Amino acid sequence: MRRRAADFRRSGRRRWSTRWIWALLGLFFVAGCILFVVHHNHHEGRAAQLVMENSVSKRREAHSSSKFTDEVVSATSFSQQLSEQIILAKAYVVIAKEHNDLHLAWELSSKIRSSQLLLSKAAMRGEIISLAEAESLMKSLSSLFLKAQDLHYDIATTIVTMKSHMQALEQRASSSTVQSIVSGRLVAESVPRSLHCLNLKLIADWLKDPPLKRIKNGRQSSNSARLVDNSLHHFCLFSDNVLAASVVVNSTVSNSNSPKDLVFHIVTDSINYGAMLSWFNGNNFSGSTIEVRNVRELSWVNASFSPVVGPGDVKDELPKLQDPKDTSLLNHLRFYTAEIYPELEKVVFLDDDVVVQKDLSLLFSLDLHGNVNGAVETCLESFHRYYKYINFSNPVVSSKIDPQACGWAFGMNIFNLAEWRRADITAQYLYWLELNSDRTVWRSGTLPVGLLAFYGLTEPLDRRWHVLGLGHDVNIDDRLIDSAAVIHFNGNLKPWLEIGISRYKPLWWRYVDHTHPYLRECTAN
């Protein structure tokens, strides 16, 4: 009990947090229980002093044969009773303050401090508490409890007061949680000064260098045939982060057994197009082929084709959706992969927050057994089945989908585009997206609609192909990370941000070219 009291005092000096809130709720609950017992056993509290005195007298008579035993047993009993009365007194302090009875609250607080001091002194010295002092304090507290009852601080009042406190605390806790989520998103979506500096320098190069501007769609004439050659290994990446995209490409190339067989298809927005093009045309990636395209060139993605795009030409932002995970068209382009690359048969999709650690060429020879999507399942984790992402109260969903179906991960996927076109996955995506126009089937993100669009058409891959959680989980087993072909920094704690998890940051930063003059200048500045 002394430790609990000490913890309570320390928590009052900390920042308001959800843990502190639940601790206080627990205190109220315990106090209410004790208050009920006190009122029930003491006949509304009026006989509290007589009961206590009779109890003390009986203990002394029962142990009169042994003075030592009498002292020890009495001291232990008084210590327990005094600790319980401290908890009850704290509850009465809250109630007294609610009724603006500051004098009673001050008296109770004074006795609480005296009782805690007595218990702590005895504990520090390794001695039993003074029976006379303990008995005096218990009598004083009992008198104050009776006084509180005279003021109608009865059980009913106490329960009502505690309920109101609990409701207020729950509202504060909910508000704090929402604020924490919003703050985390703002930080995660922000661009560090060094990356902004890098973009500006690259855009300046692109604007003043005619050869770069003359490269339409990022295509070199000598590489056009390679962009549609199905004997090569094709990767697609939709990103507005130059450095993150560079790490994906560099890590894939660095761990490939045959870099010259790799072709990267990068689509970015109009703001970052010049910077992305300048970076990838100005750096050598071991002979691999890299195509950079502007999302505005995909003119066929318009309101007549997709219900999430506004009228006219394709937009970089989707105004109908509000969550940051929904507002970027780049996040939704993955569902148009077969349309963007009509000549390709297979492609590996990579998120821009992954790092490749092994050769991925074997993915292209995997048998997907007629399925469209090869992905690592996540239902081995605590909450990754379909019913956790999707609202099954919708009759259309419940009639078509098994709520216990195993979820899977976006971020490293092998797509069979021939089977994609046969199953018309893009049409499935548009169907479910339209069904969720009122946002009742799922709240946000692209994973829920992906689970629906690829339902029954996903081939589970070995878990070592794709390990997730490096952007939010600090306790991932090192052996699992070491064995992973791809590690994914999904979550708000991206490795290029200050808030990134320091334990994992070196895994990402080792694929950044720190010798590049622009990176050195921007980091120094």
Side-chain angles (χ1 to χ4, degrees):
M1 299 303 290
R2 292 193 294 272
R3 187 180 304 164
R4 188 181 304 171
D7 289 341
F8 182 82
R9 291 196 302 274
R10 286 194 297 269
S11 66
R13 294 191 291 268
R14 295 177 184 153
R15 292 175 57 189
W16 186 267
S17 65
T18 305
R19 182 177 298 175
W20 186 92
I21 292 171
W22 285 112
L24 187 57
L25 293 179
L27 172 63
F28 282 161
F29 177 76
V30 173
C33 294
I34 295 174
L35 183 61
F36 177 81
V37 173
V38 170
H39 279 269
H40 179 73
N41 292 340
H42 290 192
H43 305 288
E44 297 183 355
R46 285 296 180 181
Q49 289 175 299
L50 293 175
V51 172
M52 184 192 67
E53 291 171 357
N54 290 337
S55 176
V56 172
S57 177
K58 288 179 181 179
R59 286 195 191 93
R60 288 178 174 173
E61 291 175 3
H63 298 283
S64 59
S65 60
S66 174
K67 182 178 180 180
F68 176 77
T69 304
D70 178 63
E71 289 179 353
V72 172
V73 173
S74 297
T76 303
S77 177
F78 276 131
S79 177
Q80 293 174 349
Q81 290 184 48
L82 190 57
S83 298
E84 292 171 358
Q85 284 196 324
I86 288 173
I87 296 174
L88 185 57
K90 288 180 178 179
Y92 272 128
V93 167
V94 175
I95 299 170
K97 288 182 178 179
E98 280 289 319
H99 290 78
N100 205 29
D101 191 346
L102 300 182
H103 181 69
L104 177 58
W106 179 84
E107 287 185 300
L108 287 165
S109 297
S110 177
K111 295 302 179 184
I112 290 172
R113 287 192 295 272
S114 299
S115 301
Q116 290 173 336
L117 183 60
L118 176 63
L119 292 173
S120 62
K121 282 183 177 179
M124 290 175 64
R125 295 172 182 173
E127 302 172 352
I128 60 176
I129 66 171
S130 169
L131 299 182
E133 290 184 70
E135 188 173 353
S136 174
L137 285 170
M138 291 173 63
K139 286 181 178 180
S140 299
L141 284 170
S142 295
S143 298
L144 292 174
F145 296 160
L146 294 176
K147 183 177 180 180
Q149 292 166 18
D150 287 338
L151 296 172
H152 303 292
Y153 298 169
D154 54 11
I155 291 178
T157 304
T158 303
I159 291 174
V160 171
T161 303
M162 287 183 175
K163 280 186 176 180
S164 65
H165 273 290
M166 290 176 69
Q167 290 174 354
L169 290 171
E170 286 175 352
Q171 290 176 355
R172 290 187 181 184
S174 177
S175 177
S176 298
T177 300
V178 171
Q179 185 61 43
S180 175
I181 293 173
V182 171
S183 298
R185 282 180 177 171
L186 287 174
V187 173
E189 294 296 322
S190 64
V191 178
R193 184 181 302 176
S194 58
L195 296 187
H196 184 65
C197 167
L198 175 64
N199 272 24
L200 292 178
K201 289 182 177 294
L202 292 172
I203 290 174
D205 281 352
W206 177 68
L207 292 173
K208 68 185 180 183
D209 191 349
L212 282 176
K213 288 190 289 184
R214 286 200 297 266
I215 300 175
K216 186 179 180 180
N217 298 343
R219 295 173 184 251
Q220 299 278 4
S221 58
S222 59
N223 287 333
S224 297
R226 291 175 58 82
L227 296 177
V228 294
D229 186 348
N230 283 296
S231 66
L232 302 177
H233 298 154
H234 295 265
F235 299 84
C236 63
L237 175 66
F238 310 121
S239 174
D240 59 1
N241 187 322
V242 174
L243 197 59
S246 176
V247 167
V248 175
V249 173
N250 191 30
S251 62
T252 305
V253 169
S254 298
N255 292 287
S256 172
N257 294 330
S258 182
K260 292 183 179 180
D261 290 338
L262 307 184
V263 180
F264 294 91
H265 304 268
I266 301 174
V267 180
T268 189
D269 57 23
S270 56
I271 297 175
N272 294 280
Y273 174 67
M276 196 80 74
L277 193 61
S278 178
W279 177 268
F280 283 103
N281 280 279
N283 288 277
N284 177 30
F285 292 92
S286 302
S288 60
T289 301
I290 301 174
E291 173 197 34
V292 179
R293 300 180 69 180
N294 189 337
V295 69
R296 287 188 179 274
E297 297 165 10
L298 307 177
S299 56
W300 45 268
V301 184
N302 52 40
S304 63
F305 189 84
S306 172
V308 300
V309 180
D313 292 334
V314 63
K315 305 294 182 182
D316 288 347
E317 300 299 320
L318 309 180
K320 290 178 64 176
L321 306 176
Q322 298 179 358
D323 189 278
K325 295 180 180 178
D326 291 333
T327 55
S328 173
L329 179 58
L330 292 175
N331 282 339
H332 286 259
L333 282 184
R334 64 192 68 187
F335 298 106
Y336 300 97
T337 304
E339 285 73 26
I340 297 173
Y341 308 109
E343 302 96 340
L344 298 183
E345 297 175 355
K346 281 188 177 182
V347 64
V348 169
F349 165 77
L350 296 173
D351 265 338
D352 66 358
D353 55 354
V354 306
V355 170
V356 177
Q357 300 187 130
K358 311 283 185 183
D359 179 44
L360 299 184
S361 60
L362 287 177
L363 284 171
F364 294 88
S365 60
L366 288 178
D367 185 359
L368 299 183
H369 300 97
N371 288 308
V372 177
N373 172 34
V376 169
E377 291 185 331
T378 56
C379 56
L380 294 177
E381 309 299 337
S382 57
F383 55 90
H384 291 104
R385 294 190 181 273
Y386 270 50
Y387 72 91
K388 289 293 185 178
Y389 299 97
I390 300 164
N391 178 16
F392 277 84
S393 64
N394 185 298
V396 177
V397 177
S398 59
S399 65
K400 296 176 178 289
I401 308 295
D402 177 10
Q404 292 294 333
C406 188
W408 45 266
F410 262 136
M412 196 292 298
N413 306 76
I414 173 70
F415 292 139
N416 185 326
L417 298 184
E419 294 295 336
W420 179 306
R421 299 181 188 97
R422 188 174 294 111
D424 204 351
I425 295 298
T426 303
Q428 290 292 322
Y429 154 75
L430 295 173
Y431 167 81
W432 290 112
L433 202 64
E434 184 64 33
L435 186 68
N436 191 48
S437 59
D438 57 359
R439 299 171 68 87
T440 59
V441 180
W442 71 88
R443 291 184 179 180
S444 64
T446 54
L447 179 57
V449 66
L451 295 176
L452 293 169
F454 291 98
Y455 178 70
L457 296 170
T458 298
E459 179 72 15
L461 303 182
D462 189 293
R463 192 181 185 190
R464 290 170 294 181
W465 278 111
H466 186 191
V467 171
L468 299 98
L470 279 76
H472 64 85
D473 187 354
V474 299
N475 296 314
I476 302 176
D477 193 322
D478 287 333
R479 293 169 296 180
L480 187 60
I481 293 176
D482 292 340
S483 66
V486 174
I487 53 175
H488 196 166
F489 290 83
N490 57 307
N492 289 334
L493 308 180
K494 303 300 184 188
W496 55 83
L497 299 175
E498 288 293 330
I499 61 173
I501 300 173
S502 57
R503 175 188 166 201
Y504 307 135
K505 280 187 176 183
L507 300 173
W508 189 86
W509 281 100
R510 67 183 175 185
Y511 291 106
V512 174
D513 182 8
H514 299 282
T515 64
H516 194 285
Y518 287 173
L519 281 175
R520 296 177 66 180
E521 290 174 24
C522 291
T523 303
N525 292 334

